């Protein structure tokens, strides 16, 4: 037991590198350095043990000091040894296993007989160690994320959530100018998207090695950025390159959705003014394995929200911006009603769109859709309007009242995330026969044929496809 506790004492001393910064005694003996803190060696040891199939238990000395008994009980469970109350106290003085460094490193410990209570607030961080902190913190976090039990000032009691598509747990995203793992895909707290939702975005879908309507989406992204007076915007080719690199790195060539965001960028200090944005825009390419998000066979149910769609007098919906609180408030209403989405009306009470999609209806073989005055003129919406004409249906774009939707023969919504989604009920009213109508089905088939045969090819896709083994 003495050997175990001695090894534990050494391990804890190395692991709690943040505490080293706050211990003047260590600074008196030797200047702090990356080598002295040993985080690189600890990560290497941890990696080696994991490859051997024996991942070690990890605890943080800070956690040990905060709650010694709970932390040691957990460690004993991991090590499959019994917890003993005697582990919480000891006799003053050294033990043989302390090592050569004990007179310097364990001087305070030798005077103790148990765990001391932690200070409520830390000491002021010495700025002379700021660069060292930047070097070591990523390694510390690698180890800390493998701790079974950890707490923080704002720790969540929620269990880790399951993902809709488990394969997305290990995706790689483009942030700024690099591709990083999911848990490292973060923007600065000084970024405009954090400080004011000051960003524009597009949703892209990938079909069989091609990005559908890529040029149209990049046109709208550029227009939105220009409308918001973004400066230092990446070129179109740079954005394409980031998209392709992200898809190729992830091996995502089909059944994939991209959330493409362009923020105004990082600020030199927090504040509203774009004059503080002097770093250039931040580009984010988030690609996920994601099938259409709605039931396009059985249909979806809508409810009308009390939240009205933005007027161009307030915030023009033709700017595809990330400030989505208007839509989110409507989505909350649909969640509370336990339905799929919410219809949003304009300021005069006419139907505009849903909280996430454009909307169409059929009445006596005529296809109608609201004017894009208060809603985003979606790219999928425009595509479907073209298909309506090609399929020889009469198309009307006009103001449509809610009662017209309630009494429609067919209704569907359109969007990149969901494609063409039939609506079978609105506000408790069954639409048509309560199932996918013939016009909807015909346009769904035409849309699928279009997505199968068009789009911007992803470089190397054909090479990858040719290398796949035959089944």
């Amino acid at each position: 037991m003495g050997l175990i506790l001695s090894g534990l004492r050494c391990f804890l001393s190395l692991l709690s590198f943040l505490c080293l910064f706050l211990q003047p005694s260590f600074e008196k003996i030797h200047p702090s350095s990356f080598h002295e803190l040993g985080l690189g060696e600890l990560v290497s040891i941890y990696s080696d043990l994991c490859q051997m199939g024996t991942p070690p238990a990890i605890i943080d000395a800070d956690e040990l000091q905060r709650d010694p008994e709970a932390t040691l009980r957990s460690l004993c469970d991991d090590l499959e040894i019994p917890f003993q109350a005697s582990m919480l106290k000891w006799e003053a003085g050294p033990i043989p296993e302390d090592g050569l460094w004990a007179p310097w490193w364990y001087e305070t410990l030798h005077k103790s007989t148990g765990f001391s209570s932690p200070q409520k607030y830390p000491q002021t961080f010495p700025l002379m160690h700021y660069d060292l902190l930047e070097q070591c913190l990523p390694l510390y976090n690698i180890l800390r994320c493998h701790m079974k039990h950890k707490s923080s000032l704002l720790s969540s009691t929620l269990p880790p959530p399951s993902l809709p598509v488990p394969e997305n747990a290990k995706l790689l995203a483009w942030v700024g100018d690099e591709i990083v793992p999911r848990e490292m895909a973060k923007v600065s707290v000084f970024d405009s998207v954090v400080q004011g939702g000051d960003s524009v975005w597009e949703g892209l879908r990938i079909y069989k090695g091609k990005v559908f309507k890529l040029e149209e989406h990049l046109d709208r992204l550029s227009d939105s950025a220009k409308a918001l007076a973004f400066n230092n915007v990446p070129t179109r080719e740079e954005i394409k390159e980031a998209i392709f690199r992200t898809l190729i790195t992830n091996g995502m060539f089909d059944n994939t959705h991209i959330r493409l965001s362009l923020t105004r960028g990082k600020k030199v200090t927090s504040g509203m003014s774009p004059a503080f944005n002097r770093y250039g825009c931040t580009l984010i390419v988030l690609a996920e394995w994601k099938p259409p998000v709605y039931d396009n066979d059985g249909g979806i149910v809508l409810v009308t929200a009390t939240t009205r769609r933005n007027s161009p007098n307030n915030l023009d919906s033709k700017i595809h911006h990330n400030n989505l609180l208007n839509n989110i408030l409507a989505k909350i209403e649909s969640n509370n009603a336990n339905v799929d989405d919410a219809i949003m009306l304009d300021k005069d009470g006419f139907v505009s769109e849903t909280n996430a999609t454009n909307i169409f209806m059929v009445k006596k073989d005529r296809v109608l859709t609201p004017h894009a005055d208060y809603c985003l003129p979606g790219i999928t919406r425009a595509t479907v309007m073209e298909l309506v004409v090609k399929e020889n249906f009469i198309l009307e774009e006009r103001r449509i009242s809610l009662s017209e939707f309630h009494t429609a023969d067919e209704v569907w919504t359109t969007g990149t995330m969901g494609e063409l989604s039939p609506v079978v009920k609105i506000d408790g009213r069954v639409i048509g026969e309560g199932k996918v109508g013939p016009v909807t089905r015909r346009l769904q088939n035409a849309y699928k044929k279009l997505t199968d045969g068009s789009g911007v090819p992803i470089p190397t896709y054909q090479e990858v496809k040719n290398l796949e083994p035959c089944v």
Side-chain angles (χ1 to χ4, degrees):
M1 181 63 71
L3 181 60
I4 292 175
L5 290 178
S6 175
L8 173 63
R9 180 184 296 179
C10 177
F11 188 71
L12 292 173
S13 298
L14 288 169
L15 183 57
S16 187
F17 87 99
L18 290 177
C19 293
L20 297 179
F21 288 124
L22 305 179
Q23 292 183 8
S25 58
F26 180 77
E27 194 70 34
K28 291 178 181 177
I29 302 302
H30 197 286
S32 298
S33 68
F34 181 83
H35 175 72
E36 292 292 340
L37 295 181
L39 266 296
E41 286 79 3
L42 274 181
V43 172
S44 179
I45 292 171
Y46 178 80
S47 178
D48 289 344
L49 290 174
C50 287
Q51 289 184 358
M52 293 169 59
T54 55
I58 296 179
I59 62 175
D60 191 321
D62 190 49
E63 299 288 331
L64 180 64
Q65 189 176 25
R66 184 182 294 113
D67 192 347
E69 183 172 345
T71 304
L72 286 178
R73 283 185 181 276
S74 174
L75 179 62
C76 288
D77 289 341
D78 291 336
L79 298 176
E80 298 181 349
I81 60 175
F83 170 79
Q84 299 177 25
S86 59
M87 294 178 181
L88 300 174
K89 56 186 178 180
W90 52 83
E91 294 183 1
I95 59 176
E97 293 84 6
D98 276 345
L100 296 175
W101 57 85
W104 297 275
W105 187 237
Y106 292 145
E107 180 181 0
T108 303
L109 180 61
H110 289 163
K111 298 177 182 177
S112 68
T113 57
F115 293 98
S116 60
S117 299
Q119 295 179 338
K120 183 176 181 179
Y121 296 107
Q123 299 178 27
T124 300
F125 182 82
L127 292 180
M128 61 185 293
H129 295 311
Y130 192 89
D131 292 342
L132 186 56
L133 177 63
E134 286 190 318
Q135 291 177 334
C136 294
L137 191 56
L139 297 175
Y140 171 82
N141 286 333
I142 288 174
L143 293 172
R144 192 172 190 274
C145 73
H146 293 290
M147 291 170 55
K148 282 189 177 181
H149 305 278
K150 52 180 178 285
S151 62
S152 66
L153 181 64
L154 300 176
S155 60
S156 173
T157 58
L158 297 175
S162 58
L163 301 181
V165 181
E167 289 79 5
N168 288 325
K170 294 185 177 180
L171 60 78
L172 297 157
W174 181 286
V175 181
D177 60 358
E178 61 180 344
I179 293 178
V180 292
R182 179 187 179 112
E183 295 305 317
M184 296 174 64
K186 299 174 174 64
V187 296
S188 168
V189 294
F190 287 96
D191 198 286
S192 287
V193 71
V194 177
Q195 301 221 346
D198 190 3
S199 175
V200 297
W201 69 283
E202 291 295 321
L204 304 167
R205 185 163 282 284
I206 315 305
Y207 299 93
K208 298 181 179 179
K210 297 178 181 179
V211 185
F212 188 62
K213 298 289 182 178
L214 175 58
E215 301 298 344
E216 290 86 343
H217 281 288
L218 292 183
D219 284 342
R220 189 170 65 183
L221 185 78
S222 176
D223 289 345
S224 296
K226 187 173 182 179
L228 292 178
F230 281 14
N231 291 319
N232 300 307
V233 176
T235 67
R236 194 183 192 92
E237 291 306 312
E238 287 172 336
I239 295 174
K240 283 184 179 181
E241 188 71 10
I243 291 171
F244 293 145
R245 284 179 178 271
T246 304
L247 291 171
I248 293 169
T249 303
N250 281 289
M252 293 178 174
F253 302 108
D254 195 16
N255 210 27
T256 298
H257 179 269
I258 292 177
R259 175 81 174 213
L260 178 68
S261 299
L262 185 69
T263 84
R264 195 182 296 272
K266 192 168 61 171
K267 294 177 177 288
V268 293
T269 184
S270 59
M272 184 185 301
S273 175
F276 295 144
N277 292 85
R278 303 175 192 169
Y279 292 93
C281 293
T282 302
L283 179 66
I284 302 169
V285 184
L286 174 57
E288 295 179 275
W289 300 108
K290 183 173 289 188
V293 295
Y294 300 114
D295 182 354
N296 290 347
D297 294 318
I300 63 174
V301 178
L302 304 179
V303 68
T304 302
T306 60
T307 303
R308 297 299 176 99
R309 194 66 180 95
N310 284 328
S311 164
N313 286 327
N314 303 315
L315 183 58
D316 194 345
S317 297
K318 291 175 181 58
I319 303 174
H320 205 200
H321 54 79
N322 280 68
N323 196 326
L324 299 176
L325 287 179
N326 182 244
N327 306 69
I328 291 169
L329 289 170
K331 181 60 179 177
I332 289 171
E333 294 189 58
S334 76
N335 287 348
N336 290 339
N338 198 31
V339 299
D340 297 284
D341 271 332
I343 290 177
M344 300 184 73
L345 309 179
D346 64 25
K347 67 179 182 64
D348 295 320
F350 291 96
V351 172
S352 176
E353 60 179 351
T354 78
N355 57 275
T357 56
N358 294 121
I359 191 166
F360 289 75
M361 61 167 279
V362 177
K363 189 69 173 181
K364 296 181 179 179
D365 294 326
R366 302 173 78 90
V367 177
L368 298 87
T369 193
H371 284 299
D373 293 333
Y374 293 84
C375 68
L376 178 76
I379 291 170
T380 307
R381 171 184 181 269
T383 303
V384 171
M385 291 172 74
E386 293 175 1
L387 291 175
V388 168
V389 175
K390 286 183 179 180
E391 294 294 321
N392 296 316
F393 293 110
I394 297 172
L395 175 67
E396 290 186 26
E397 187 179 12
R398 64 169 174 82
R399 278 183 157 189
I400 308 174
S401 66
L402 183 59
S403 62
E404 289 183 273
F405 273 93
H406 287 161
T407 59
D409 298 328
E410 300 178 44
V411 176
W412 69 80
T413 64
T414 61
T416 302
M417 289 262 279
E419 303 176 334
L420 271 78
S421 304
V423 178
V424 296
K425 187 180 289 187
I426 299 175
D427 297 330
R429 283 87 159 174
V430 175
I431 303 302
E433 297 182 2
K435 61 182 181 180
V436 183
V439 178
T440 306
R441 183 67 73 197
R442 185 166 157 184
L443 291 169
Q444 282 182 324
N445 292 335
Y447 188 83
K448 184 179 187 305
K449 186 180 296 184
L450 183 64
T451 59
D452 285 345
S454 62
V456 177
I458 301 169
T460 77
Y461 169 66
Q462 285 301 127
E463 299 173 21
V464 173
K465 185 177 179 182
N466 292 335
L467 290 175
E468 291 178 354
C470 297
V471 178

